[in-house]
C-alpha cells in the first residue's frame, strides 16, 4: 500500500508536468512557425523568438519547481518527516549559460542541418507537393526535436532540484532514484536499472541521462518507499527482458561525469565522456545552479537586451543588415517583415529582466 502511495504521487506529478511541458512546446512551436525561411538565418529574428520562449520557459520552470516542492512535501510525510523550509521558485537548471542562449538552440539546429544543402534556400515554405519539402521539413524537424529535448532536460532537472532542496531543508540526508519505465517509450534503460539500488546524498543532484524519467524519494529510513517501488519495477523489467537480455541488464556498469551546463550525467562505464558544449569552460567549472546564479543570468540577459535593442534600431533606421560582436559571438541582424514583432519581444525581455532584478534587489 505504501509503495502504491508513492506510485500514485509520482504518477500525479508526472501527469501535471507533462501537461505544462506540452503547453509550453505548443506555444514555442507557434512562435517559431511565425518565421519565414529567411528569418531562420536572421539573428535579429531568431534571438527575438528565443527571448520570448526563454521567458515562457522561465515561467514553466517556476511552475515545475512548485510541483517538485509539493511532491517533496508528500513523500516526506510518507516517511514520517515534517516538511520544513522555503525553496526558491525560480532557479534555472543550467550553469555557464542562460535561458535566452539555450532557447536559441532550435535555430542553431536548423542551420546546422540546412548548411549541408547550401543550394536549397527557399523564399517561402514549400508545400507537401514541392520537391524541396522533404529536405526543408527535416531541418524543421531537427529544430523542434532540439526544442523538445532541451525543455525535457531542463524540466526534469528543475523538478528534481526543487524536491531535493526541500529534502535538505527538512534534514533528510539521503534519497533514492525511482524508476519510471512507464514514462519511456522503451522502458527504463540499463543505466537507471543499475543506479536504482544506490542511495545519493541530498547535497548532490541526481545524475540523469538524455530523456531520463527517473524520479526521487527519501531514503535511509526504516521505511524506504522508493526501494519497494523499484524492487517491483526491477522484477517486472527482468521478467519482461528474459534470458540473456535480463542477464545483460544486470551486468551493466555505470559512471557519473560532470557536464559543463547540466552537472552530473549518468553514462555507461565504457562510454566516452560527453563533449563539453560550453566554449572556454570545462566540467570542473560547473557549479550547482542556485538563486544567485539565476540572478546573474538575468543580469546578462538584461545587458544583452539593451545591446540588441540598440542594434534593432540601427537596422530599422538603415534598412540594411547590421553585423556586430557581443559576448564573444558575431551577430547579424537583418531587415524583416517581422522586425516590429521582434523588437516588441525584445522589449518584453528587457522589461521582465529589469522587473525581476528590481524585485531581487
Amino acid at each position: 500500500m505504501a509503495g502504491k502511495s508513492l506510485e500514485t504521487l509520482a504518477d500525479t506529478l508526472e501527469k501535471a508536468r507533462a501537461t505544462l511541458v506540452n503547453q509550453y512546446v505548443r506555444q514555442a512551436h507557434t512562435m517559431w512557425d511565425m518565421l519565414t525561411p529567411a528569418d531562420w538565418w536572421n539573428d535579429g529574428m531568431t534571438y527575438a523568438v528565443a527571448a520570448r520562449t526563454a521567458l515562457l520557459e522561465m515561467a514553466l520552470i517556476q511552475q515545475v519547481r512548485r510541483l517538485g516542492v509539493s511532491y517533496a512535501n508528500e513523500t516526506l510525510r510518507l516517511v514520517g518527516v515534517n516538511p520544513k523550509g522555503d525553496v526558491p521558485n525560480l532557479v534555472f537548471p543550467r550553469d555557464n549559460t542562460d535561458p535566452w542562449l539555450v532557447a536559441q538552440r532550435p535555430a542553431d539546429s536548423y542551420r546546422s542541418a540546412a548548411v549541408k544543402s547550401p543550394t536549397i534556400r527557399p523564399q517561402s515554405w514549400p508545400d507537401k507537393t514541392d520537391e524541396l519539402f522533404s529536405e526543408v521539413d527535416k531541418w524543421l524537424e531537427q529544430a523542434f526535436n532540439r526544442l523538445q529535448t532541451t525543455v525535457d532536460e531542463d524540466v526534469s532537472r528543475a523538478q528534481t532540484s526543487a524536491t531535493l532542496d526541500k529534502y535538505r531543508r527538512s534534514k533528510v540526508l539521503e534519497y533514492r532514484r525511482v524508476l519510471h519505465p512507464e514514462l519511456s517509450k522503451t522502458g527504463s534503460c540499463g543505466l537507471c536499472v543499475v543506479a536504482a539500488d544506490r542511495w545519493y546524498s541530498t547535497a548532490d543532484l541526481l545524475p540523469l541521462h538524455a530523456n531520463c524519467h527517473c524520479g526521487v524519494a527519501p531514503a535511509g529510513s526504516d521505511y524506504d518507499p522508493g526501494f519497494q517501488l523499484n524492487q517491483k519495477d526491477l522484477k517486472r523489467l527482468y521478467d519482461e527482458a528474459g534470458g540473456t537480455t535480463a542477464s545483460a541488464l544486470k551486468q551493466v556498469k555505470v559512471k557519473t561525469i560532470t557536464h559543463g551546463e547540466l552537472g552530473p550525467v549518468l553514462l555507461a562505464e565504457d562510454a566516452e565522456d560527453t563533449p563539453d558544449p560550453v566554449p572556454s569552460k570545462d566540467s570542473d567549472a560547473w557549479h550547482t545552479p542556485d538563486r544567485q546564479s539565476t540572478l546573474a543570468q538575468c543580469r546578462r540577459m538584461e545587458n544583452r537586451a539593451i545591446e540588441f535593442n540598440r542594434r534593432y534600431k540601427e537596422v530599422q533606421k538603415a534598412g540594411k543588415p547590421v553585423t556586430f560582436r557581443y559576448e564573444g559571438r558575431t551577430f547579424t541582424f537583418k531587415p524583416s517583415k517581422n522586425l516590429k514583432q521582434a523588437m516588441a519581444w525584445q522589449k518584453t525581455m528587457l522589461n521582465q529582466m529589469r522587473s525581476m532584478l528590481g524585485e531581487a534587489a
Side-chain angles (χ1 to χ4, degrees):
M1 181 65 69
K4 178 65 174 177
S5 296
L6 177 60
E7 189 172 13
T8 300
L9 288 172
D11 182 62
T12 300
L13 171 66
E14 293 304 324
K15 286 180 179 177
R17 184 177 80 171
T19 297
L20 292 173
V21 169
N22 290 339
Q23 182 182 32
Y24 164 81
V25 170
R26 285 195 300 270
Q27 290 177 302
H29 207 303
T30 297
M31 282 180 283
W32 285 110
D33 283 342
M34 291 178 60
L35 300 187
T36 67
D39 284 339
W40 281 85
W41 298 93
N42 182 349
D43 291 331
M45 290 308 308
T46 60
Y47 274 90
V49 174
R52 182 60 185 143
T53 56
L55 293 177
L56 289 176
E57 183 177 347
M58 291 171 74
L60 170 63
I61 293 298
Q62 292 185 75
Q63 292 173 300
V64 167
R65 283 181 62 84
R66 284 193 287 268
L67 289 177
V69 170
S70 295
Y71 170 81
N73 290 340
E74 294 300 322
T75 54
L76 286 167
R77 294 186 182 105
L78 277 181
V79 296
V81 175
N82 184 34
K84 297 177 182 177
D86 295 326
V87 173
N89 279 336
L90 179 59
V91 174
F92 188 63
R94 293 178 186 255
D95 192 26
N96 296 315
T97 188
D98 60 59
W100 195 352
L101 295 180
V102 173
Q104 164 70 10
R105 290 177 182 170
D108 295 338
S109 292
Y110 176 94
R111 294 173 187 178
S112 293
V115 76
K116 297 173 184 176
S117 303
T119 61
I120 301 177
R121 292 294 179 267
Q123 297 301 307
S124 59
W125 295 115
D127 59 38
K128 292 184 178 181
T129 61
D130 194 304
E131 62 179 349
L132 300 180
F133 176 82
S134 179
E135 182 63 24
V136 174
D137 192 55
K138 289 179 184 177
W139 307 346
L140 291 168
E141 182 180 14
Q142 291 202 29
F144 291 123
N145 284 345
R146 185 73 175 274
L147 170 69
Q148 184 74 58
T149 299
T150 299
V151 72
D152 283 342
E153 288 181 337
D154 289 352
V155 162
S156 292
R157 290 175 185 276
Q159 174 188 299
T160 300
S161 174
T163 299
L164 295 183
D165 279 352
K166 192 66 175 183
Y167 288 173
R168 282 192 293 271
R169 294 167 193 267
S170 303
K171 308 303 181 184
V172 170
L173 301 180
E174 293 177 306
Y175 69 95
R176 187 183 296 285
R177 174 184 226 98
V178 178
L179 297 173
H180 286 297
E182 76 283 359
L183 299 176
S184 173
K185 293 179 181 178
T186 57
S188 292
C189 75
L191 302 179
C192 296
V193 168
V194 173
D197 280 341
R198 298 183 179 185
W199 286 2
Y200 297 92
S201 167
T202 51
D204 302 315
L205 290 179
L206 180 72
L208 300 176
H209 58 81
N211 301 314
C212 189
H213 290 280
C214 286
V216 295
S221 64
D222 292 336
Y223 171 45
D224 188 346
F227 176 75
Q228 295 177 22
L229 185 57
N230 281 348
Q231 289 301 104
K232 183 184 71 173
D233 281 329
L234 286 170
K235 183 179 185 305
R236 179 163 62 84
L237 287 168
Y238 291 142
D239 288 345
E240 289 176 353
T244 57
T245 305
S247 298
L249 273 178
K250 295 176 182 178
Q251 296 303 314
V252 172
K253 295 183 179 180
V254 300
K255 67 178 179 180
T256 299
I257 63 113
T258 303
H259 185 284
E261 284 185 6
L262 299 172
V265 174
L266 197 65
L267 291 178
E269 189 175 61
D270 58 354
E272 295 184 4
D273 286 2
T274 304
D276 193 325
V278 188
S280 303
K281 294 283 186 180
D282 57 31
S283 60
D284 293 337
W286 180 84
H287 299 91
T288 304
D290 56 22
R291 180 63 174 168
Q292 291 308 308
S293 66
T294 300
L295 290 175
Q297 292 170 352
C298 290
R299 179 68 67 190
R300 288 199 299 272
M301 290 191 289
E302 178 193 33
N303 291 335
R304 188 182 303 129
I306 292 170
E307 174 67 17
F308 281 11
N309 186 56
R310 186 166 69 88
R311 301 300 183 171
Y312 280 118
K313 291 179 179 178
E314 289 180 14
V315 174
Q316 190 178 45
K317 181 178 180 180
K320 60 183 181 180
V322 171
T323 298
F324 60 98
R325 293 277 295 175
Y326 185 73
E327 297 178 317
R329 295 176 171 86
T330 298
F331 301 90
T332 300
F333 284 15
K334 306 173 186 177
S336 168
K337 68 177 184 180
N338 295 317
L339 186 64
K340 288 185 178 180
Q341 179 64 77
M343 295 177 73
W345 282 335
Q346 177 76 13
K347 187 174 182 180
T348 299
M349 166 62 81
L350 179 56
N351 290 339
Q352 288 289 333
M353 291 306 98
R354 284 175 170 169
S355 176
M356 289 181 63
L357 290 165
E359 292 173 0

